Amino acid sequence: MKEKFGMGKFIIHLILLSGIIIVAFPFLWMIMSSLKSLTDFYNFSFLPESIDLSGYIYTFTETGFLRWYFNSFVVAVVVTVSNIIFCSLIGYTIAKFRFFGAKAIFLLILSTMMIPTEMLVIPWYVLSSDLHWIDSYWGLMFPGMMEAFGIFLMRQFMSDVPDDILDAARIDGMGEFKIWWRVAMPQVKPAISALAIITFLGNWNAYLWPVIVTSTAKMRTLPVGISLYGTSDAGGIQWNTIMAMSTLTVIPMIIVFLIFQRQIVEGIALTGTKG
């Protein structure tokens, strides 16, 4: 039986459509602006008078954009893999082993989530300076290699893995490390997906720490490179070029969302219910 499309559903669809327009308009405006010449940009029309790719050409030929792109990709991928491995390993240990101080350690890890990032910047910088990690990949990556939120998330999901399965693996002669990797990890794939997506997006868009720890153009990440290009590097703001850079920056995010949109929605929902 065909469901009646009443006034209530019309209002709901109208609200959803308004939300889509509000969210999508800045992205569409950014893409349209990236196709304008600098003169055309200041006309503030939505559509370009003519397609102009000078912003993209300048981006690839006159800036360090590809290097910034590579840096962001390396940092985001390495930190994501590190979080999946170490956070799941710690979460599994805290959830499945009974030892003195386990609860205190977990509470101590949770307490670090209440410390604002801004308060950690100085200790991170001092540590980076002492270890000669300033303006290096290690300096960019080490603060995010193991996040308290990831440990909390994985511990919650690991708690639901049946002990009987783990005991059966031990009876079969599997070692603890192999049990974690081959038995426990497949049971928590939704949590791994959520952690991977959240970590990758967070590091791809990170700005505060990268702008502090990098001192040369070759080690900048995309957010830092684009922001500094618009001020000091270019000697003036070429907005069409900045829009071209921004458009190229969000492409990986759009691809990730289109491929993993079901996992993203499920992951966000699961992190809410488990929290």
Side-chain angles (χ1 to χ4, degrees):
M1 182 176 178
K2 191 174 181 180
E3 194 174 354
K4 188 176 179 182
F5 191 85
M7 181 58 71
K9 285 194 173 182
F10 174 76
I11 294 174
I12 291 173
H13 281 76
L14 190 62
I15 294 173
L16 291 174
L17 182 62
S18 302
I20 292 172
I21 293 173
I22 292 172
V23 172
F25 179 78
F27 290 98
L28 294 175
W29 188 85
M30 176 183 69
I31 295 171
M32 292 297 107
S33 298
S34 71
L35 300 173
K36 297 177 180 178
S37 65
L38 188 58
T39 305
D40 191 15
F41 179 87
Y42 288 106
N43 291 331
F44 296 110
S45 59
F46 180 72
L47 295 174
E49 292 182 0
S50 61
I51 301 298
D52 187 296
L53 299 177
S54 60
Y56 289 94
I57 295 172
Y58 192 88
T59 295
F60 287 115
T61 58
E62 302 294 334
T63 71
F65 183 78
L66 291 178
R67 178 63 190 232
W68 306 336
Y69 216 98
F70 176 76
N71 292 342
S72 288
F73 183 79
V74 169
V75 171
V77 170
V78 172
V79 172
T80 300
V81 172
S82 171
N83 269 272
I84 291 173
I85 294 174
F86 291 111
C87 292
S88 61
L89 192 56
I90 297 172
Y92 172 75
T93 303
I94 295 175
K96 292 302 177 185
F97 291 92
R98 301 289 176 266
F99 56 91
F100 178 76
K103 195 169 183 179
I105 292 173
F106 184 57
L107 291 175
L108 186 62
I109 293 172
L110 286 184
S111 66
T112 62
M113 295 171 62
M114 302 175 189
I115 304 174
T117 302
E118 290 78 4
M119 291 185 64
L120 299 172
V121 165
I122 294 177
W124 287 347
Y125 189 86
V126 172
L127 179 62
S128 298
S129 179
D130 291 343
L131 296 175
H132 305 289
W133 285 352
I134 298 295
D135 205 36
S136 70
Y137 284 114
W138 279 116
L140 284 167
M141 293 187 293
F142 88 89
M145 297 290 277
M146 198 163 42
E147 296 279 0
F149 170 75
I151 295 172
F152 166 72
L153 180 67
M154 297 307 298
R155 186 264 183 192
Q156 299 302 94
F157 278 84
M158 288 293 185
S159 298
D160 292 338
V161 177
D163 291 335
D164 293 341
I165 298 177
L166 306 179
D167 291 337
R170 292 188 182 100
I171 292 173
D172 289 341
M174 294 179 69
E176 290 300 333
F177 188 81
K178 191 176 286 187
I179 291 173
W180 160 72
W181 180 252
R182 298 184 62 176
V183 180
M185 288 291 273
Q187 303 291 324
V188 295
K189 283 182 179 177
I192 295 173
S193 300
L195 179 61
I197 292 164
I198 293 171
T199 305
F200 185 88
L201 293 180
N203 282 276
W204 184 264
N205 295 318
Y207 177 78
L208 178 61
W209 176 243
V211 78
I212 292 172
V213 79
T214 55
S215 57
T216 61
K218 69 175 184 178
M219 288 308 300
R220 290 172 185 167
T221 56
L222 279 171
V224 177
I226 293 173
S227 67
L228 295 182
Y229 164 80
T231 54
S232 60
D233 285 1
I237 301 177
Q238 300 185 37
W239 287 108
N240 61 332
T241 303
I242 291 177
M243 292 299 126
M245 291 181 178
S246 301
T247 301
L248 294 168
T249 300
V250 301
I251 286 177
M253 303 297 101
I254 295 174
I255 293 174
V256 168
F257 178 77
L258 291 177
I259 296 176
F260 300 106
Q261 55 182 309
R262 184 171 61 84
Q263 287 85 349
I264 291 173
V265 174
E266 288 180 355
I268 293 173
L270 287 171
T271 54
T273 55
K274 284 293 177 183

